[in-house]
């Protein structure tokens, strides 16, 4: 193939013969002077720019003096020129030959250029030849390990001066069109990008591992509730956030439910989340009202990191009341689905996020009767860039209204219904709480009994008689009945001595434990102390703590206190 026919299509590389015809005599003389090896003076009589002492020529070559072959041969990039529908090799430059070896002229690219197949360029070259449009592929790797960014440009063969009209027409139809392959070696760039991706992947894996290790490894399962939770980190392009959840048994059948979201990404957000979760568990042991727990968390969040804020919902379920008492710090509302499918949204009170300070949080309530399901969640479940977040919450309500089954099944259905996939752009935490409606033999395992303590000191023997009769009717073993009566007697005696009316004794059994609780109108919480041998009092709480599985006390919302103890039932 005559290579000079292709050169006319490359800018700045017109054939010398045609270029000389158009030049004037003076520019031609200057070009002649500029060539290496000529010693003549410039035509205009000026002083040469290069002196004999320095030995440096002013110009070694001008662009017009280079043919296409010479120009492409000097490029550091890899260049190959093929022609025709079979992509027959017309030319490869020195850089291409150094990288892949010399290539025989006239051979097809499919046979003699396996590197193009490794780069998946042959179909692309067909497309470029047909469409006449350049195409570029980035960072393709060959077997040697090098990576190239390749541009394939269509090139049309110009008609020669001696061609007949018929030959010119055939060439105008592109019968001998070709493709110029230009490949830049980007191995260093590709390796640096891969190292960066590897580093980001390891960083993300570290954050995910930290995040999962700080979440509950196994959820506590209260007697009266069935609970499941799901955490899903964001996709590979999304940094791990600070979503968390927790379930904390408070004693006397009460359960704390927590979900929160640290407004940040990466290891730092996960670390702050871990500190907040630990603090929540510590404050929960104080058995404070929900708004007081958030008040303490608010101050702690500002101390941990003033630049990090977090949203949180803290709710407490009491089986005797059949409702959730909750407080929210800028978090999304709790949703509750009734047994008939009706969904209720917990409204105010909602305060600002944790860490902002200067706000007095308050508590609210929402009913959680038997047969109902509550859902606590983070914004990753309902927030979308193209939609208002209220639309996402409404979509979650619709999905929850038809979600039935176990808590884990409900979790999975909500995740699928809201379109959360492995490539979701935010992490998601969901906590599903069911208060099952018990019937038949299952309901026989759950009983409540209570007695108002009236009449001063006469209340103590009545309380013992009441406890004896109730525990016997519940068919507990004799030993457990005796321990239960003793604990009830000591708690009632302590309340009669140190408390104020109204007083009440409550007994509750579940499928796993016996709970005894005494309430009165005094808000002074008892504490366990060591009684001296000569003391006539002060041993009641110590006796209860010794014989019971656990005990505790808390202030009640309307004023006063409750003191309780639990006994594990024999399995």
């Amino acid at each position: 193939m005559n290579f000079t026919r292709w050169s006319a299509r490359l800018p700045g590389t017109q054939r010398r013969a045609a270029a000389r015809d158009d030049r004037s005599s003076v520019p031609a003389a200057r070009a002649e002077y500029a060539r290496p090896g000529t010693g003549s003076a410039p035509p205009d009589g000026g002083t040469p720019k290069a002196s004999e002492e320095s030995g440096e020529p002013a110009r070694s070559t001008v662009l017009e003096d280079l043919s296409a072959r010479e120009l492409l041969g000097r490029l550091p990039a890899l260049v190959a020129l093929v022609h025709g529908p079979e992509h027959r090799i017309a030319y490869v430059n020195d850089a291409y030959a150094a990288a892949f070896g010399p290539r025989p002229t006239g051979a097809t690219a499919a046979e003699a250029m396996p590197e193009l197949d490794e780069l998946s360029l042959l179909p692309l070259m067909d497309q470029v030849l047909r469409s006449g449009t350049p195409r570029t592929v980035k960072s393709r790797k060959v077997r040697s390990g090098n990576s190239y960014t390749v541009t394939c440009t269509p090139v049309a063969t110009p008609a020669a001066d001696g061609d007949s009209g018929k030959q010119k027409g055939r060439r105008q139809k592109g019968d001998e069109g070709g493709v110029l392959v230009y490949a830049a070696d980007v191995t260093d760039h590709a390796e640096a990008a891969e190292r960066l991706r590897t580093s980001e992947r390891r960083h993300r894996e570290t954050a995910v591992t930290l995040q999962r290790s700080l979440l509950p490894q196994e959820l506590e399962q209260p007697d009266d509730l069935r609970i499941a939770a799901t955490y899903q980190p964001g996709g590979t392009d999304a940094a791990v956030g600070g979503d968390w959840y927790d379930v904390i048994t408070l004693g006397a059948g009460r359960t704390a439910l927590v979900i929160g979201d640290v407004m940040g990404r990466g290891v730092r957000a996960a670390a702050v989340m871990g500190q907040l979760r630990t603090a929540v568990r510590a404050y929960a042991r104080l058995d404070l009202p929900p708004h007081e727990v958030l008040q303490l968390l608010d101050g702690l969040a500002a101390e941990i990191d003033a630049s990090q804020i977090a949203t949180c919902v803290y709710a407490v379920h009491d089986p005797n009341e059949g409702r959730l008492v909750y407080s929210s710090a800028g978090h999304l509302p709790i949703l509750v689905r009734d047994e008939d499918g009706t969904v209720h949204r917990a409204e105010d009170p909602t305060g600002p996020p944790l860490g902002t300070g200067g706000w007095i949080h308050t508590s609210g309530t929402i009913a959680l009767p038997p047969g109902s399901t509550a859902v606590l969640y983070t914004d990753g479940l309902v927030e979308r860039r193209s939609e208002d977040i209220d639309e996402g919450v409404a979509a979650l309500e619709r999905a929850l209204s038809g979600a039935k089954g176990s808590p884990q099944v409900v979790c999975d259905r909500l995740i699928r219904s809201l379109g959360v996939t492995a490539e979701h752009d935010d992490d998601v935490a969901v906590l599903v709480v069911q208060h099952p409606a018990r019937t038949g033999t299952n309901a026989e395992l759950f009983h409540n009994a209570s007695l108002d303590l009236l009449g001063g000191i006469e209340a103590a023997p009545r309380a013992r008689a009441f406890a004896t009769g109730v525990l016997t009717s519940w068919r507990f073993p004799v030993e457990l009945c005796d321990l239960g009566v003793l604990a009830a007697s000591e708690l009632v005696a302590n309340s009669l001595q140190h408390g104020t009316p109204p007083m009440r004794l409550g007994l509750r059994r579940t499928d796993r434990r016996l709970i005894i609780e005494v309430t009165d109108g005094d808000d002074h919480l008892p504490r366990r102390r060591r009684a001296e041998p000569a003391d006539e009092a002060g041993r009641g709480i110590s006796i209860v703590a010794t014989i019971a599985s656990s005990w505790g006390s808390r202030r009640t919302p309307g004023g006063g206190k409750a003191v309780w103890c639990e006994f594990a039932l024999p399995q």
Side-chain angles (χ1 to χ4, degrees):
M1 181 177 182
N2 186 358
F3 189 86
T4 59
R5 293 182 132 181
W6 297 80
S7 63
R9 308 300 294 176
L10 302 174
T13 61
Q14 290 82 0
R15 287 171 292 175
R16 295 180 198 163
R20 290 197 191 97
D21 294 341
D22 297 335
R23 296 177 188 160
S24 64
S25 58
V26 173
R30 288 179 178 173
E32 182 65 26
Y33 160 72
R35 294 192 185 94
T38 60
S40 59
D44 57 1
T47 304
K49 294 183 180 180
S51 63
E52 294 181 359
E53 291 78 11
S54 65
E56 297 178 356
R59 295 171 66 191
S60 61
T61 307
V62 293
L63 183 62
E64 289 79 0
D65 294 325
L66 294 176
S67 67
R69 182 184 295 273
E70 294 169 329
L71 180 64
L72 298 178
R74 297 187 181 190
L75 293 177
L78 282 60
V79 178
L81 186 65
V82 298
H83 70 93
E86 296 181 350
H87 305 304
R88 295 191 177 276
I89 302 172
Y91 168 77
V92 295
N93 70 348
D94 295 340
Y96 195 103
F100 299 115
R103 294 293 181 260
T105 302
T108 64
E111 297 173 351
M113 305 178 84
E115 62 277 2
L116 298 186
D117 187 45
E118 294 176 23
L119 294 169
S120 302
L121 290 182
L122 294 177
L124 184 68
M125 292 164 61
D126 292 335
Q127 181 183 358
V128 169
L129 192 61
R130 289 193 305 268
S131 65
T133 304
R135 293 287 187 269
T136 299
V137 294
K138 296 182 179 180
S139 193
R140 294 283 181 87
K141 184 179 288 188
V142 294
R143 293 177 183 175
S144 63
N146 287 14
S147 296
Y148 297 91
T149 291
V150 185
T151 298
C152 296
T153 304
V155 179
T157 305
D161 295 338
D163 285 346
S164 65
K166 185 177 181 180
Q167 290 172 326
K168 290 181 180 179
R170 185 168 58 249
R171 290 190 175 95
Q172 287 175 356
K173 293 179 182 178
D175 291 344
E176 294 188 9
V179 177
L180 180 70
V181 180
Y182 181 95
D185 191 333
V186 294
T187 303
D188 293 341
H189 175 77
E191 291 177 350
E194 181 60 29
R195 288 194 297 270
L196 178 60
R197 285 192 295 268
T198 301
S199 176
E200 291 176 346
R201 185 166 55 251
R202 289 176 179 172
H203 180 81
R204 183 177 184 279
E205 289 173 354
T206 300
V208 171
T209 301
L210 176 62
Q211 175 86 343
R212 291 192 181 279
S213 66
L214 294 174
L215 291 174
Q217 302 305 302
E218 185 176 352
L219 287 178
E220 298 181 26
Q221 294 292 338
D223 297 352
D224 295 272
L225 301 176
R226 297 294 177 263
I227 301 176
T230 296
Y231 171 75
Q232 179 172 310
T236 54
D237 294 334
V240 176
D243 292 14
W244 94 93
Y245 56 83
D246 208 348
V247 178
I248 309 166
T249 54
L250 303 178
R254 302 166 69 249
T255 305
L257 309 167
V258 193
I259 196 163
D261 184 4
V262 177
M263 300 301 182
R265 292 289 184 270
V267 175
R268 180 58 185 165
V272 172
M273 176 274 290
Q275 296 177 77
L276 290 178
R277 176 175 174 255
T278 301
V280 169
R281 295 193 71 87
Y283 294 147
R285 298 305 177 190
L286 301 176
D287 218 338
L288 300 172
H291 64 275
E292 292 188 22
V293 172
L294 291 191
Q295 206 69 46
L296 293 173
L297 279 179
D298 185 40
L300 179 64
E303 294 178 7
I304 293 175
D305 190 341
S307 64
Q308 295 271 16
I309 61 174
T311 64
C312 180
V313 166
Y314 182 89
V316 175
H317 174 258
D318 190 331
N320 296 318
E321 298 177 357
R323 62 177 183 170
L324 287 177
V325 181
Y326 69 92
S327 185
S328 175
H331 205 80
L332 294 168
I334 300 172
L335 301 181
V336 175
R337 177 189 182 275
D338 290 340
E339 195 169 11
D340 61 0
T342 304
V343 177
H344 306 277
R345 183 187 301 191
E347 302 297 339
D348 291 337
T350 298
L354 302 175
T356 56
W359 183 268
I360 303 300
H361 292 273
T362 57
S363 295
T365 61
I366 185 170
L368 189 68
S372 60
T373 300
V375 176
L376 294 78
Y377 52 96
T378 58
D379 58 1
L381 181 65
V382 297
E383 189 173 27
R384 301 294 181 269
R385 299 182 186 275
S386 59
E387 298 178 357
D388 186 85
I389 195 168
D390 287 337
E391 297 179 11
V393 176
L396 178 59
E397 289 180 339
R398 292 191 295 270
L400 178 60
S401 65
K404 297 181 180 179
S406 68
Q408 189 59 58
V409 170
V410 174
C411 265
D412 296 340
R413 289 192 61 178
L414 295 180
I415 290 287
R416 290 195 304 270
S417 299
L418 272 294
V420 178
T421 65
E423 298 303 320
H424 194 57
D425 60 359
D426 195 5
D427 50 349
V428 175
V430 182
L431 184 65
V432 175
V433 181
Q434 287 185 347
H435 185 188
R438 296 180 175 86
T439 59
T441 56
N442 191 29
E444 292 298 320
L445 299 177
F446 292 80
H447 290 287
N448 287 281
S450 61
L451 174 68
D452 291 327
L453 302 176
L454 304 173
I457 58 173
E458 295 86 1
R462 286 202 302 271
R464 284 194 294 270
F466 175 77
T468 301
V470 169
L471 298 182
T472 302
S473 68
W474 288 349
R475 301 178 182 179
F476 285 148
V478 175
E479 181 181 359
L480 181 58
C481 286
D482 292 342
L483 292 176
V485 170
L486 176 58
S489 178
E490 293 296 337
L491 293 180
V492 168
N494 185 78
S495 181
L496 290 173
Q497 182 174 358
H498 302 288
T500 58
M503 302 177 185
R504 187 180 183 88
L505 168 64
L507 303 177
R508 174 174 172 77
R509 70 154 295 169
T510 70
D511 57 344
R512 287 182 280 182
R513 71 198 73 209
L514 166 66
I515 302 168
I516 301 172
E517 184 176 66
V518 175
T519 60
D520 63 55
D522 184 77
D523 60 2
H524 179 74
L525 300 180
R527 60 185 178 87
R528 184 179 181 183
R529 64 186 181 88
R530 185 183 183 89
E532 297 298 330
D535 292 343
E536 296 182 358
R539 296 179 177 83
I541 296 298
S542 294
I543 293 173
V544 171
T546 300
I547 63 176
S549 303
S550 61
W551 78 281
S553 62
R554 71 179 189 281
R555 291 186 174 89
T556 52
K561 67 177 179 294
V563 185
W564 55 268
C565 67
E566 294 181 351
F567 293 88
L569 300 184
Q571 299 299 319

